Amino acid sequence: MTDFVFIDEKQKLMGKVKEDRIVEIKFYDSLLGNIYRGKVVNKNDALSAYFVEYEKGETLYLNSKTPYKIGDNVIVQYVRDPANGKLALGSLNFKLENDSYYVKRFGRLIKQKEGKERDKVKFEAIGSLKTRLIQEEKFFPTPKLLYENSLKDVYIEENKDKEIRKVDIENLKEFRDFLGLIKEKRPRYGDLSLIIDELETMTVIDVNSNSKKSTNNKDKFLENINMELIDPIVYNLKARNIGGMVLIDFLRNENKEKIEEAMREKSKEYDLDSEIFGFSPMGLFEMTIKRRGDRYATELKKRNLLN
């Protein structure tokens, strides 16, 4: 098995393959990380909410305790893509980084990245850029893109210890397998399967033992099935870029703590930004996952990579 990072420069898509499976996809034509001089076009004082035009005709949502008037300029970073009917999200506390340092607008110190050596030129450059961006608030025209993200370069730097392959994504076997998975509502794993119902407001996953027969006591049998399907469950959550509330209907076994701990460990292994609530009184396992844009199926359909 070979682990590697892939980049398709035509589709502006990159990601990681681990143990013959795609475990991460990123689109580097995203606006994430871009910094704009935007204009406040509407507001809700009761919610400290502002609607900021960051490109001509395009609006994002900004929550801020700093008071602004309609028509004011504001320096804002694009931090979340629109999804599920919600606007893109902006932040005043923009973050800048290069391969050695990072700094936030409201952070006093420029911080050195772990394992990096001091570099005076890069240190001074990131500090000067921060100062310039803050000063841009008083200038015109508005809206205007002030700083464009370097998602691809940062991703390559973060994964420089891995093999980097430039690919035509449609000819990558692991990608074809990935597409087959995210289209499947009932993925099978030997004698077992999952039923994945991706609703607009939540995702419900049902564990199904199909025709698998018990060869020992019933409780241990059910526990073993649940444990066997934890990796496929968390991988599907990651692979589909599912966010929001997730309910999992595990088979009813006694040792729920074992299932809960295994879900925590596997979520951490797959780097899911999640919060585990455990089993409800109704016996359903509850968790939430921070939304990071649209589900991959939606994003890939936009790019004509998924039918």
Side-chain angles (χ1 to χ4, degrees):
M1 295 183 184
T2 303
D3 299 348
F4 60 93
V5 168
F6 60 86
I7 299 173
D8 184 323
E9 295 184 337
K10 179 181 177 182
Q11 295 290 347
K12 306 292 186 185
L13 183 154
M14 57 193 178
K16 292 178 190 172
V17 169
K18 184 176 181 180
E19 296 179 354
D20 296 329
R21 299 188 304 182
I22 288 179
V23 295
E24 182 173 78
I25 281 183
K26 292 182 180 289
F27 305 98
Y28 63 88
D29 61 353
S30 169
L31 303 181
L32 290 172
N34 284 359
I35 299 174
Y36 297 87
R37 181 170 59 237
K39 180 171 69 174
V40 176
V41 294
N42 207 342
K43 65 175 183 172
N44 184 319
D45 290 330
L47 298 175
S48 299
Y50 298 89
F51 301 89
V52 178
E53 185 182 37
Y54 63 95
E55 287 184 345
K56 194 68 175 176
E58 299 292 336
T59 305
L60 56 73
Y61 175 84
L62 173 70
N63 187 264
S64 171
K65 293 181 180 178
T66 302
Y68 290 99
K69 301 187 297 293
I70 292 176
D72 281 354
N73 283 356
V74 56
I75 303 301
V76 62
Q77 186 165 44
Y78 187 108
V79 296
R80 189 187 69 198
D81 287 324
N84 301 308
K86 295 183 179 180
L87 289 174
L89 181 67
S91 173
L92 295 178
N93 194 22
F94 61 73
K95 180 180 180 180
L96 300 170
E97 63 180 311
N98 54 35
D99 58 3
S100 298
Y101 298 96
Y102 66 92
V103 65
K104 291 188 175 182
R105 175 176 182 172
F106 299 126
R108 292 185 178 182
L109 300 177
I110 297 173
K111 297 187 178 181
Q112 188 172 328
K113 291 185 176 180
E114 187 176 349
K116 296 295 184 179
E117 296 182 358
R118 293 182 180 180
D119 187 313
K120 183 179 179 181
V121 173
K122 292 178 180 178
F123 179 88
E124 292 179 349
I126 201 169
S128 296
L129 178 58
K130 174 184 172 180
T131 300
R132 179 179 69 78
L133 288 171
I134 293 171
Q135 293 173 342
E136 284 281 349
E137 192 164 86
K138 58 189 176 184
F139 298 132
F140 291 91
T142 304
K144 182 180 179 181
L145 173 64
L146 302 175
Y147 172 83
E148 192 166 8
N149 71 55
S150 53
L151 295 177
K152 178 184 171 186
D153 294 338
V154 171
Y155 195 70
I156 290 173
E157 175 66 24
E158 290 174 346
N159 294 282
K160 63 183 180 181
D161 59 325
K162 299 179 177 64
E163 179 188 356
I164 309 288
R165 296 185 188 177
K166 291 186 178 181
V167 303
D168 176 348
I169 197 68
E170 295 182 77
N171 292 326
L172 186 68
K173 177 186 179 301
E174 291 85 354
F175 184 70
R176 293 196 297 269
D177 294 342
F178 176 81
L179 294 182
L181 173 72
I182 65 175
K183 286 195 294 186
E184 181 59 65
K185 292 187 176 182
R186 190 167 183 163
R188 300 183 67 90
Y189 302 92
D191 293 329
L192 309 176
S193 67
L194 300 172
I195 300 173
I196 302 175
D197 197 357
E198 298 182 52
L199 306 173
E200 187 170 341
T201 56
M202 70 173 67
T203 298
V204 181
I205 299 177
D206 184 56
V207 170
N208 196 321
S209 61
N210 295 331
S211 59
K212 189 165 184 175
K213 304 298 182 183
S214 173
T215 57
N216 50 24
N217 75 74
K218 184 176 180 180
D219 183 69
K220 194 64 179 176
F221 170 70
L222 298 178
E223 179 184 295
N224 289 342
I225 290 175
N226 287 334
M227 293 297 293
E228 188 174 340
L229 285 173
I230 282 176
D231 182 87
I233 287 171
V234 179
Y235 177 68
N236 271 278
L237 293 172
K238 179 78 171 182
R240 296 165 190 260
N241 199 32
I242 288 172
M245 174 65 75
V246 177
L247 301 178
I248 305 171
D249 191 8
F250 283 105
L251 302 178
R252 302 300 196 267
N253 72 290
E254 291 294 327
N255 193 348
K256 292 181 171 57
E257 292 78 12
K258 184 175 181 179
I259 304 301
E260 185 173 330
E261 183 57 30
M263 282 293 295
R264 289 184 190 279
E265 291 178 1
K266 193 59 67 172
S267 296
K268 185 176 181 180
E269 179 184 324
Y270 279 103
D271 196 28
L272 274 187
D273 192 352
S274 61
E275 185 173 358
I276 305 290
F277 297 103
F279 286 90
S280 71
M282 293 290 289
L284 295 175
F285 185 88
E286 300 180 358
M287 65 187 294
T288 59
I289 304 172
K290 186 175 181 180
R291 294 189 186 277
R292 298 191 180 278
D294 283 327
R295 293 169 183 175
Y296 286 147
T298 302
E299 197 64 49
L300 292 167
K301 283 177 182 176
K302 291 178 186 175
R303 299 162 187 266
N304 297 317
L305 290 170
L306 181 66
N307 297 323

